[in-house]
Amino acid sequence: MKVYTHYYKLSDNEGLRWRTLLQFGNSFEIIGSVVMKNPGSSKPKGSKEIEDKLHLSSLSMFDDTKDPWYEFTTDDTMRKVAVLFASYYGYNNVNKLNGVIQIFNLFYIMDPNEQRAEQKMKNAGLPANFHTPQDLLNYDIEKLQAPVYLGFGDLAFTDRFRDSAIRYFKSVINSEKRPAYLNVNFEENSFYHPQYLCGNGCNNNTSIYIRSKFKASPLTDEQINNGVPLPKLKLSKEERLSLIHDLSECYPSHGLDAFQYNPKDFKTIRFCMPCGLQCTVTAIGEGYIGIRHMETPKGFSYCKDNYEDKEWLDYLVLGELGFERNANSSFWIGVKSLDYFTDANAIIQFIEDLNGHQLFSQNPLQRQAFLQNIKAHNRTSENQ
């Protein structure tokens, strides 16, 4: 899952996040919409706005504003939204989703604490291009695309947000095909938040009923009584091992070069990459793809130790390619979870895209000039 959004920093401790998109797989086709309370704990991935023209071309389809787009981290609510829509489509795992889930909110102040966020809202402005909250609400409702899940919880029944919640409700209930999970009487709906619906309250009878009816083919009452299993967020050990097996079978036909290949190792396979790097795909632990040099000293830490082209490689792997690194993965320049991938072909395509990335072809002088341009851009952005 990747998270794209418009972001407005209001102060050191306050921000506004609007037009959030959860993107799965390679597609930017809309596969659903969800309306919730307010943005939670998701944070920007760095301070730099997205500049890649291919990404911007895809994102420009979602609104006609000139506001910059940012990539954000995922939070638990977003993961629960993924589970809910995987359930809608009848998938057993969220990694089978392919497309964009739109996130709308009753208000857009970033704070996981609902009461605190509502207080901040009194002093905060609106996203650019909107003069009144009503303008923003009209725009958001216009952009809703089925299937739509309304998950604003008890905030729907407060004096402050009731009218907005009713507007969303009427838009969905009066659509061409009324969703089976909604009661035509506004007051008789629970509007469970996905965090509760697919989390702590997943075994609540009402939660089971809502999830059973919020499906492309709603379940009958008899089927509901037999239980509704939730899709998984993580691949099982057997699924991870199956990916490695399929990968070892098909990689030669794609012209990939294996590195230190061991046919008796059924958990891990490594591939050569440009610039003396290797890409390791493993089912060990929770399963991940990792990038590091082909040769590193024993005990080497990419978090603490210096290495050739450190600044450039960190920017490329952690920034451009979307890998992550922390103290627990310090022997890698970056890692990415196997849960992002649906099958071996998706991994093959990912590795081919890595090897063909234009930044790998730059010579040292071009890399230095590229980094200087990035730093200059960041300084300009900070001073604005």
Side-chain angles (χ1 to χ4, degrees), residues 187-202:
E187 304 290 343
E188 294 184 21
N189 290 282
S190 299
F191 300 121
Y192 282 168
H193 191 278
Q195 185 81 24
Y196 180 79
L197 185 71
C198 299
N200 292 337
C202 67

Side-chain angles (χ1 to χ4, degrees), residues 157-171:
F157 305 106
T158 63
D159 291 341
R160 184 162 194 156
F161 297 106
R162 180 185 176 85
D163 288 346
S164 296
I166 289 176
R167 284 281 312 280
Y168 276 115
F169 173 76
K170 286 184 176 179
S171 172

Side-chain angles (χ1 to χ4, degrees), residues 14 59 94 154-155 174 383:
E14 295 180 0
L59 293 170
V94 299
D154 55 6
L155 215 61
N174 294 328
N383 292 331

Side-chain angles (χ1 to χ4, degrees), residues 64-79:
D64 52 5
T65 70
K66 301 299 181 183
D67 299 345
W69 288 94
Y70 294 85
E71 186 171 358
F72 266 52
T73 62
T74 60
D75 62 21
D76 195 52
T77 291
M78 294 171 180
R79 289 186 282 272

Side-chain angles (χ1 to χ4, degrees), residues 24-25 27 29-32 79-101 147 198 211 214-217 219 228-235 239 339 341-342:
F24 303 84
S27 174
E29 293 294 320
I30 296 174
I31 57 174
R79 289 186 282 272
K80 295 300 191 298
V81 169
V83 166
L84 176 59
F85 278 84
S87 173
Y88 175 89
Y89 287 103
Y91 300 146
N92 62 359
N93 198 298
V94 299
N95 69 353
K96 294 184 179 180
L97 289 168
N98 189 38
V100 169
I101 299 171
C198 299
R211 293 200 312 271
F214 182 71
K215 294 179 78 69
S217 298
L219 301 187
V228 187
L230 281 171
K232 295 177 292 183
L233 279 165
K234 296 288 184 182
L235 294 172
E239 288 170 322
D339 296 320
F341 304 94
T342 55

